[in-house]
Every structure is written in C-alpha cells, then in structure tokens.
Amino acid sequence: MAEGQGQEPECPVCWNPFNNTFHTPKVLDCCHSFCVECLAHLSLVTPARRRLLCPLCRQPTVLASGQPVTDLPTDTAVLTLLRLEPHHVILEGHQLCLKDQPKSRYFLRQPRVYTLDLGPEPGSQTGPPPDMGPTTRSLPIPIPSHYSLRECFRNPQFRIFAYLMAVILSVTLLLIFSIFWTRQFLWGVG
C-alpha cells in the first residue's frame, strides 16, 4: 500500500485510490493489501485458481474451494482512515457486482446494481472471425420487469402515488356529482 503525506492510500498494482466499491482493499495472507479489482483480475488469469501469489512478495494465499477473492478479509484500517463503510462486492463469473442498498426504510428505492466487466471468458474470441465481413451491433433489448401487484404495494413510493391518485379521483368525482346535483336542484326549483 503506497501512502504518502496528504495522499490517499492506493493499490500498489493499479495505483487507484482505495474506496469501498471496486477498489476495496483486500488483505492477503502476507498482510499486503490490494484492491479487489486487481485481485479478481489476478485470480482469473492464475492457472491454479485456488492459489494467489502476492504481486509484491510472491507469498501464496490459498483460497478455500470455491471461495472467490471477494471473500478475502477487507482491510478495515484503510477504510476507517478513509471514513468509508465497506460494501459487499461479489465476483460472478468475469464480473464484479455491487448492490447499492437503500439507506432509509421510509424512502425506499430499488437497489442499484453496479457491475465491472473483468474481460472476456478464456478461449472466447475478442473480435469477429477473419473470414467474416463487418458486423453490426444491435442495441440491447430492455428486459421487462414483471412485478405483481403485491410487490408494487410493498414499495412505499408506489403506495404514496396510489393514495394520491385515489384522493385526486375521489375529489374529482365528488366535484362532478356536486355540480350535477346543484344543477338538478337549481333547475328543479326554478
């Protein structure tokens, strides 16, 4: 970890400042800290996926079977120095994923998911085959989200919207009926 006066601590591999997202400092068995992105890249290109060699001292860190590098211990001292709370970043295939949870239970919003692509799958082609002509890229097709009515009513913002629409509809109907009955009463008297 490179740390100078007035500088934020940074990853010694990519030189990016540590943060609580994709540059979360993770500690290897040798006590050196690196960002989770660099360790994820390292784990994807290492032939023995259960063993990481420290980029500085080459001491191995053995991962349990199926344990991703995101489960390595977080360097909480660095995050405390930066006044940040750790987020849970996960490694899914060749992507780092971070789910941003809402902070308040009264103003809930749908959690945002941030992903960082770590590169192509091994053995996949990165470009078109040489004998094929130019290809066109199609726009991504939006995936429709299917929510049941029960799931919609769990969202407080939707409930507030539904209540406001019900009040507006009720007031509008009340005004229409009052105008109708007032005309009926005035025309019937006169």
Side-chain angles (χ1 to χ4, degrees):
M1 171 174 59
E3 230 180 308
Q5 288 183 340
Q7 288 183 326
E8 292 182 353
E10 59 189 24
C11 175
V13 174
C14 64
W15 297 350
N16 285 313
F18 286 124
N19 59 29
N20 60 348
T21 56
F22 298 126
H23 294 287
T24 301
K26 294 291 185 174
V27 183
L28 297 179
D29 289 345
C30 59
C31 298
H32 288 127
S33 294
F34 303 94
C35 72
V36 71
E37 181 183 353
C38 289
L39 291 176
H41 278 289
L42 183 65
S43 73
L44 292 175
V45 298
T46 303
R49 291 211 175 207
R50 291 184 35 195
R51 191 175 130 142
L52 289 176
L53 293 178
C54 173
L56 296 179
C57 68
R58 308 297 289 166
Q59 180 179 337
T61 297
V62 179
L63 301 171
S65 178
Q67 177 189 15
V69 295
T70 54
D71 287 349
L72 287 170
T74 300
D75 193 342
T76 54
V78 172
L79 290 182
T80 303
L81 177 70
L82 296 172
R83 296 186 180 127
L84 296 173
E85 294 181 21
H87 287 298
H88 184 66
V89 177
I90 58 173
L91 180 63
E92 290 183 355
H94 282 238
Q95 284 188 336
L96 286 173
C97 301
L98 167 71
K99 192 174 192 180
D100 180 24
Q101 296 292 336
K103 298 294 182 201
S104 171
R105 53 182 275 211
Y106 298 111
F107 296 105
L108 290 181
R109 58 179 167 76
Q110 292 295 325
R112 292 186 212 147
V113 177
Y114 301 97
T115 59
L116 178 66
D117 193 12
L118 297 173
E121 297 285 330
S124 70
Q125 294 179 342
T126 57
D131 60 341
M132 303 226 10
T135 59
T136 59
R137 294 182 62 148
S138 61
L139 295 174
I141 299 170
I143 300 171
S145 57
H146 302 285
Y147 290 112
S148 68
L149 191 57
R150 180 177 293 158
E151 289 173 352
C152 288
F153 273 103
R154 287 184 184 154
N155 185 344
Q157 291 173 342
F158 180 80
R159 282 188 292 202
I160 291 170
F161 174 75
Y163 294 141
L164 284 175
M165 293 307 290
V167 167
I168 290 171
L169 182 64
S170 300
V171 169
T172 304
L173 289 174
L174 184 63
L175 285 173
I176 290 171
F177 284 125
S178 66
I179 291 171
F180 175 75
W181 288 111
T182 304
R183 282 187 176 176
Q184 288 284 349
F185 179 73
L186 291 176
W187 287 345
V189 172

